[in-house]
Amino acid sequence: MGTGTDRTFSHEHARDRAQRPSILGRFRASYRQRDEDHLIRAYSANLSQRVPPLYGLVILAVTLLAMRFHGTAPAVLTEVVPAMMSVLALWRLAYWLPARVRRRSIADLRRDLRTMNWVSGFSAAILVGWAVAIYPHGDAAQQSLVHYVISVIGFCGILCLAEAPLTALFFGLSLAVPSTLFFVMNGHPNAVFISVVQATLTCLLLVVANAHHRDFVRLELSREEIVRRERHAARLAADNLANATYDALTGVLNRRAFLSLLERAMNDATGASAWLALVDLDGFKHVNDTYGHAAGDALLKTVAIRIGAQDGVTAYGRLGGDEFALLLDGAYDSERALAAMKDLSRKIAEPVADRGTVLRLSACIGMKRTEGRSVNECLERVDSALYKAKEDGDGAVCMFAPEDEVALRQRVAITRTFNAASLNDTIRLLYQPVWDIESEKVVAYEALARWTPDGGETWLQPSTFIPLADATGRTGELTRAILARALGECRVWEQGLTLGVNLAPRDVLRDGSVESIEQVVREAGAPPETITFDVTERALILDPKRAMHNLQAFRDRGFRISFDDFGAGLASLGNIHRLPLDVLKIDRGLTRALATDAGARALAGTILTLAWQLDIDCVIEGVETEAQTEVARALGIRLMQGYRFGRPLPVEEALAGRQAA
Ligand code: C2E
Ligand code: CA
């Protein structure tokens, strides 16, 4: 008895043997034709070139043999049977004509190739049967002709069918085996020699056919591979072209393609110049953050469709992010062009239904005719009109007017000056006190920045230079410079007061902003809890998630956060409790209306109640008159800021006025 290992070994050995194909199996496999569609077509195409001449040869040989045996063999064998065989051969010849084969479906071709095996064997058998039948009716010379014809047809058949080796095998064997046996048994003096030659040559040719088939398949496969690679290369080239031209998300022209189209339009001197419009979506970021990127994508696609559907739009594209550009028919006069863009802005503002939610946004549009020396010059002006439209907000449309040219030039000049300026040398700070009207003391100072473009002759307001800082990418640098200056010259925390510093939306949103601001405060040695950062709702609208995250990060480091200009904008009272806040500052627009407008009073009262409920401070800004002070006092507001208590002043003067409101 064998051990377990022996048993395993013998099992494996048996399995190996079972898996290894037999000689016959290998022989069959070597003759098997491939079944891939493209090879089926190749086999058929090849056979269609060779099968018709082969049948032609058979018809000729049968006719000649019949003529040679005419008179010696019965008429049925020399006339009727040859005629029937020729008709059959003619039918097969016609069936395999190249033009007809080309028209056949793959399924038909596959079936034809399969039937080809037995059809060829059957044809060979009929031929041999007939040859055997006439053979005894001839003399030695006639019989030699039969040998000769059968051999020639056999060899030619194998050669013609070489691309389909299994068919060649069927044909060769069906012809050679019975004929050889018959000739040998019949006792013709040359029979043995002829049969040996025929058998040897048949085997040789079948081996050649097999090798030929292998080469043929290899060639076809490599040709198919080349075609596949060429197709792949063509597809890649098409993809590259599409990527270089179209925006992947919306399928409209991308920035590069649109700008080159714009350039062509501007160089085209025929007809009135088209209108160029830039479309910028408001609140897109909010949609992205609130409803997810898929919703944002759906919205962008819808906007692209709406732009494309607008009457008069001749070309359009996506310049990037949430900015689109379009060309409007130059035949439109300015009134009609403006009306078309207002219509577009209205249509973009229509709600978009996306998977059960309703999405809304608005679009500001700036526009101008495509005149000017260059694409850049034209774009700059349309951009400036867009900027104006965005200041108006809420889907405004603005056309660049000749008088805007001066403002644009000034802006370009001042932007350049700002870009080149040393901020430390060109800013100064004014300080405005925040009063506690109960204790009649200043409790805080707010730093308000000014910037000079001309060495101190004019001092510009933040509303002018903060956008310049944004445009030149220097917002963070400016804020740090202001903060460092304020902490250096106005160390009010040493007297138990807090210092307010305003942050721009970018300061609230930028990565790394919290750390760099904290660094400035640490270097100045100020305790974070004595610094209040004023933020407006703008940052929250632009990117609520990130704003929230960064505000919390400021809070976590001990800084106080004040919500500036509260009551002026869209800030939803419903969400305010989620913000990390220490102070609500009532907007000075509301303060202005306080003495005269009951609605303003009610709103101020609501804000104060909200602050109480959230257990945070409430400061009223822009208090100018006694009447406003009294109304605010009556509402219960203690902390006040405004000209009534002190204008923004340079540090010494501001600190000197501390006790004297
Ligand atoms: P804000 O934070 O609401 O600042 C108060 C603004 O109201 C100041 O204008 C101040 O001069 C003005 N103001 C104060 N009391 C009264 C008053 O009784 N009546 C009237 N009519 N106005 C009063 P300013 O300095 O032009 O600042 C405007 C805005 O610019 C500020 O609004 C603030 O949002 C921003 N800002 C000021 N300084 C900076 C800064 O250093 N960095 C940043 N990022 N923004 C700043
Ligand atoms: Ca402020």
Side-chain angles (χ1 to χ4, degrees):
M1 245 172 71
T3 63
T5 322
D6 287 344
R7 249 199 321 273
T8 315
F9 175 77
S10 65
H11 277 313
E12 280 178 2
H13 196 63
R15 204 179 52 217
D16 267 9
R17 252 203 328 254
Q19 280 174 357
R20 208 183 309 136
S22 64
I23 294 181
L24 189 66
R26 263 181 289 163
F27 177 77
R28 227 187 296 141
S30 79
Y31 275 88
R32 189 168 300 137
Q33 292 164 204
R34 307 273 296 240
D35 198 44
E36 294 93 320
D37 286 358
H38 64 102
L39 280 166
I40 294 284
R41 273 220 180 276
Y43 286 131
S44 307
N46 246 289
L47 288 176
S48 74
Q49 301 290 334
R50 299 172 190 207
V51 169
L54 179 62
Y55 277 114
L57 175 73
V58 169
I59 293 169
L60 180 70
V62 166
T63 311
L64 292 176
L65 253 188
M67 282 164 67
R68 186 70 180 84
F69 275 79
H70 201 260
T72 59
V76 69
L77 288 179
T78 55
E79 289 169 16
V80 180
V81 176
M84 281 168 59
M85 287 197 319
S86 296
V87 168
L88 272 179
L90 214 55
W91 167 57
R92 295 309 295 164
L93 182 153
Y95 189 82
W96 277 97
L97 283 175
R100 300 180 69 179
V101 169
R102 268 198 299 275
R103 282 200 297 271
R104 264 171 224 148
S105 69
I106 280 287
D108 287 350
L109 294 177
R110 188 171 273 122
R111 187 205 55 217
D112 287 350
L113 289 176
R114 230 177 284 129
T115 53
M116 198 54 184
N117 295 337
W118 68 259
V119 169
S120 65
F122 185 65
S123 312
I126 292 177
L127 192 64
V128 171
W130 176 65
V132 165
I134 56 168
Y135 195 83
H137 301 290
D139 56 17
Q142 282 170 305
Q143 288 177 344
S144 293
L145 185 64
V146 175
H147 286 293
Y148 179 73
V149 165
I150 292 295
S151 305
V152 166
I153 290 181
F155 302 152
C156 285
I158 295 173
L159 284 178
C160 285
L161 299 171
E163 262 88 17
L166 200 59
T167 310
L169 186 70
F170 269 84
F171 181 78
L173 294 183
S174 309
L175 202 78
V177 174
S179 62
T180 307
L181 283 177
F182 173 77
F183 296 146
V184 170
M185 281 171 8
N186 217 269
H188 186 280
N190 292 334
V192 174
F193 302 100
I194 291 173
S195 299
V196 169
V197 170
Q198 188 179 4
T200 314
L201 209 55
T202 300
C203 291
L204 203 68
L205 286 178
L206 284 173
V207 172
V208 169
N210 196 327
H212 186 81
H213 174 245
R214 263 203 308 274
D215 290 346
F216 167 77
V217 168
R218 222 173 281 144
L219 190 75
E220 272 308 316
L221 289 179
S222 63
R223 195 164 55 199
E224 177 67 14
E225 178 63 17
I226 289 171
V227 169
R228 208 180 56 77
R229 282 195 195 161
E230 274 174 359
R231 262 192 230 130
H232 183 64
R235 227 180 7 250
L236 275 185
D239 282 357
N240 283 345
L241 182 70
N243 284 343
T245 312
Y246 298 104
D247 170 49
L249 174 67
T250 57
V252 302
L253 293 182
N254 63 17
R255 181 182 190 91
R256 214 175 63 169
F258 183 83
L259 293 185
S260 73
L261 185 135
L262 174 63
E263 188 159 16
R264 279 201 303 278
M266 287 183 71
N267 290 335
D268 178 11
T270 55
S273 17
W275 294 93
L276 170 67
L278 293 181
V279 180
D280 193 278
L281 307 182
D282 307 321
F284 176 67
K285 188 110 189 59
H286 174 65
V287 170
N288 247 351
D289 287 339
T290 315
Y291 299 102
H293 283 261
D297 289 354
L299 209 55
L300 287 175
K301 285 185 201 160
T302 309
V303 169
I305 292 169
R306 289 180 181 175
I307 293 176
Q310 180 65 36
D311 279 346
V313 170
T314 55
Y316 61 108
R318 180 174 167 220
L319 298 190
D322 56 0
E323 197 177 16
F324 290 83
L326 63 93
L327 287 181
L328 190 68
D329 193 345
Y332 281 24
D333 61 14
S334 56
E335 219 167 276
R336 193 162 168 213
L338 197 63
M341 289 301 93
K342 282 188 177 158
D343 187 39
L344 175 61
S345 166
R346 241 189 330 271
K347 283 182 185 151
I348 292 178
E350 280 168 17
V352 176
D354 177 59
R355 286 164 298 164
T357 33
V358 176
L359 309 170
R360 280 167 218 277
L361 47 60
S362 60
C364 288
I365 303 179
M367 61 189 296
K368 176 190 177 299
R369 271 204 197 269
T370 50
E371 294 156 341
R373 276 175 313 208
S374 67
V375 167
N376 272 349
E377 199 185 290
C378 182
L379 271 175
E380 205 171 48
R381 276 147 188 77
V382 180
D383 209 35
S384 149
L386 175 63
Y387 182 84
K388 242 168 77 182
K390 288 183 93 160
E391 277 183 345
D392 295 348
D394 251 0
V397 178
C398 196
M399 189 176 287
F400 188 83
E403 55 272 22
D404 295 332
E405 196 68 45
V406 179
L408 175 71
R409 293 241 162 92
Q410 277 173 353
R411 216 178 57 235
V412 169
I414 205 165
T415 306
R416 286 204 186 121
T417 310
F418 189 91
N419 195 31
S422 148
L423 295 181
N424 268 332
D425 299 337
T426 50
I427 51 168
R428 70 166 177 156
L429 298 181
L430 303 179
Y431 297 87
Q432 187 177 33
V434 177
W435 272 82
D436 179 339
I437 53 156
E438 266 179 32
S439 65
E440 299 205 323
K441 285 205 170 108
V442 174
V443 289
Y445 281 93
E446 176 176 2
L448 297 162
R450 303 289 178 263
W451 175 75
T452 178
D454 50 16
E457 256 180 59
T458 43
W459 288 96
L460 300 177
Q461 306 289 325
S463 56
T464 310
F465 66 83
I466 298 292
L468 299 181
D470 282 350
T472 52
R474 301 185 76 184
T475 314
E477 189 189 345
L478 175 68
T479 301
R480 287 193 299 276
I482 289 169
L483 185 61
R485 173 78 60 87
L487 295 175
E489 68 186 18
C490 187
R491 304 174 69 83
V492 288
W493 63 88
E494 289 167 355
Q495 300 156 35
L497 308 184
T498 59
L499 178 65
V501 175
N502 293 281
L503 295 185
R506 288 201 187 186
D507 296 318
V508 179
L509 299 177
R510 208 181 40 245
D511 280 341
S513 168
V514 179
E515 292 75 10
S516 62
I517 285 175
E518 182 194 26
Q519 171 83 6
V520 175
V521 176
R522 202 178 308 130
E523 277 167 15
E529 57 280 6
T530 63
I531 312 292
T532 308
F533 288 124
D534 282 16
V535 298
T536 61
E537 67 175 351
R538 189 107 195 96
L540 285 158
I541 291 171
L542 286 172
D543 191 342
K545 250 193 218 154
R546 190 181 291 212
M548 190 82 123
H549 175 266
N550 279 356
L551 289 182
Q552 189 60 53
F554 277 119
R555 226 12 194 8
D556 293 344
R557 284 160 172 77
F559 296 110
R560 286 158 52 87
I561 302 294
S562 157
F563 200 126
D564 218 351
D565 306 337
F566 196 70
L570 316 156
S572 123
L573 293 176
N575 280 333
I576 205 80
H577 65 278
R578 289 212 238 125
L579 294 171
L581 293 179
D582 301 277
V583 185
L584 282 184
K585 280 181 121 176
I586 298 175
D587 181 63
R588 65 173 185 275
L590 208 58
T591 312
R592 207 177 300 127
L594 217 51
T596 51
D597 182 346
R601 271 199 299 279
L603 186 51
T606 307
I607 296 173
L608 180 71
T609 312
L610 190 65
W612 281 342
Q613 279 166 357
L614 298 175
D615 195 20
I616 60 180
D617 288 340
C618 179
V619 175
I620 185 161
E621 283 186 301
V623 181
E624 294 181 353
T625 64
E626 193 51 43
Q628 289 163 350
T629 315
E630 285 319 309
V631 175
R633 190 199 298 273
L635 285 171
I637 300 170
R638 275 179 61 175
L639 302 175
M640 301 195 189
Q641 185 179 353
Y643 295 168
R644 158 84 178 74
F645 303 97
R647 289 185 173 256
L649 290 171
V651 65
E652 295 85 11
E653 294 167 51
L655 294 181
R658 216 183 117 179
Q659 309 295 336

